[in-house]
């Protein structure tokens, strides 16, 4: 069964600290993996996209890694800010059409002063 | 500015009533999608449309209906047949019809059944 799991379910960190969010997937075949940020009550916004051949992709303070062999991805946030408080969703595409896209349940991140 | 507009943002419905959620995009995207989001779960695909006058069922289409009469518009009707309609509904669009294209989401509509 195609699945995307994320850990931890929720996380609280102090402003300025770093954190890493994890994503494990069993989706096959694999097309690409995205990380989205979703503020409370808003729609998700894409942070990064990685294909099979990419290991690392950065977007400002966000760095995503992908290990296609172990089917794991991580999202590292550096020098966290209060505005980073949101849900982070891992999305894996199992084919070329969007009906093959599997969304993870998300990790809820709270950055406190 | 280009984007996706969903309305209403909040909607309350009595049991047995149909409601229609609006989704409009001015990004000139071919493909549009409706997702349902429930606490602790990943987004689930309700319906999607890759061209005008054509749409496909997603994983949880039962109790929902859509139309795609215009490229810019993809309204979702939540019918009384949907057994548990209380949820956050997200509309999205993409330029490409395949998953290499980025999904752009609207701000969502929260439906509560009283």
């Amino acid at each position: 069964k195609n699945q995307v799991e994320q850990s931890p379910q929720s996380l609280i960190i102090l402003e300025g600290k770093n954190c890493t969010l994890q994503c494990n997937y069993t989706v096959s075949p694999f097309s690409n993996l995205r990380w989205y940020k979703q503020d409370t009550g808003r729609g998700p916004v894409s942070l990064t996209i990685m294909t099979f051949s990419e290991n690392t992709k950065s977007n400002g303070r966000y760095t995503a890694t992908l290990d296609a062999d172990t089917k794991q991805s991580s999202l590292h946030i550096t020098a966290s800010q209060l505005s980073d408080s949101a849900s982070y969703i891992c999305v894996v595409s199992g084919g070329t059409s969007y009906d093959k896209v599997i969304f993870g349940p998300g990790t809820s991140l709270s950055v406190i002063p | 500015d280009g984007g996706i507009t969903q309305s209403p943002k909040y909607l309350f419905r009595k049991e047995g009533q149909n409601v229609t959620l609006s989704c409009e995009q001015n990004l000139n995207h071919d493909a549009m999608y409706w997702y349902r989001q429930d606490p602790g779960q990943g987004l689930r695909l309700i319906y999607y449309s890759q061209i005008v006058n054509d749409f496909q069922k997603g994983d949880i289409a039962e109790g929902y209906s859509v139309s795609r009469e215009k490229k810019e518009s993809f309204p979702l009707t939540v019918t009384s047949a949907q057994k548990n309609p209380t949820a956050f509904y997200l509309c999205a669009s993409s330029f490409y019809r395949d998953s290499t294209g980025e999904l752009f989401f609207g701000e969502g509509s929260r439906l509560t059944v009283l």
Side-chain angles (χ1 to χ4, degrees):
Chain A
K1 181 181 178 182
N2 289 330
Q3 280 187 315
V4 176
E5 297 177 342
Q6 293 187 243
S7 62
Q9 184 176 0
S10 62
L11 181 64
I12 301 174
I13 62 172
L14 291 174
E15 184 179 11
K17 298 296 186 182
N18 303 336
C19 67
T20 300
L21 314 180
Q22 300 290 343
C23 172
N24 296 335
Y25 61 93
T26 58
V27 179
S28 182
F30 174 84
S31 176
N32 59 68
L33 184 148
R34 296 180 183 274
W35 283 93
Y36 281 85
K37 177 186 179 186
Q38 184 178 21
D39 293 320
T40 301
R42 309 287 292 273
V45 175
S46 179
L47 293 174
T48 64
I49 177 173
M50 287 183 291
T51 58
F52 185 87
S53 59
E54 296 176 298
N55 301 117
T56 304
K57 184 74 70 78
S58 291
N59 178 1
R61 294 180 296 102
Y62 301 102
T63 299
T65 64
L66 173 65
D67 186 334
D69 291 332
T70 61
K71 298 187 177 181
Q72 295 180 326
S73 176
S74 65
L75 181 69
H76 185 74
I77 303 175
T78 305
S80 61
Q81 300 176 357
L82 298 178
S83 59
D84 291 332
S85 294
S87 179
Y88 291 84
I89 303 172
C90 176
V91 184
V92 181
S93 297
T96 56
S97 64
Y98 262 107
D99 60 324
K100 301 294 189 294
V101 171
I102 310 295
F103 287 77
T107 291
S108 177
L109 173 66
S110 296
V111 180
I112 59 176
Chain B
D1 286 357
I4 300 177
T5 302
Q6 289 187 240
S7 63
K9 189 163 180 64
Y10 300 97
L11 184 60
F12 297 90
R13 187 195 94 174
K14 293 182 180 179
E15 285 191 18
Q17 288 181 334
N18 294 353
V19 294
T20 297
L21 308 181
S22 171
C23 179
E24 304 277 334
Q25 57 100 356
N26 59 6
L27 299 168
N28 198 32
H29 286 173
D30 285 324
M32 297 187 73
Y33 314 83
W34 273 104
Y35 290 93
R36 172 178 170 143
Q37 187 173 36
D38 294 285
Q41 296 187 40
L43 273 68
R44 291 180 291 169
L45 183 63
I46 304 173
Y47 269 99
Y48 66 103
S49 168
Q50 295 184 321
I51 55 174
V52 175
N53 292 323
D54 186 53
F55 48 83
Q56 308 295 328
K57 292 182 178 180
D59 300 319
I60 56 167
E62 185 176 351
Y64 300 98
S65 66
V66 294
S67 63
R68 186 86 188 276
E69 297 177 1
K70 299 186 302 182
K71 186 176 184 178
E72 302 79 16
S73 179
F74 192 40
L76 173 73
T77 296
V78 184
T79 75
S80 57
Q82 170 47 234
K83 291 180 171 48
N84 184 21
T86 294
F88 190 55
Y89 291 89
L90 286 161
C91 179
S93 71
S94 66
F95 183 74
Y96 297 104
R97 296 173 187 175
D98 62 53
S99 65
T100 57
E102 180 179 347
L103 269 181
F104 291 83
F105 286 89
E107 293 292 274
S109 294
R110 185 168 298 282
L111 172 62
T112 303
V113 174
L114 304 174

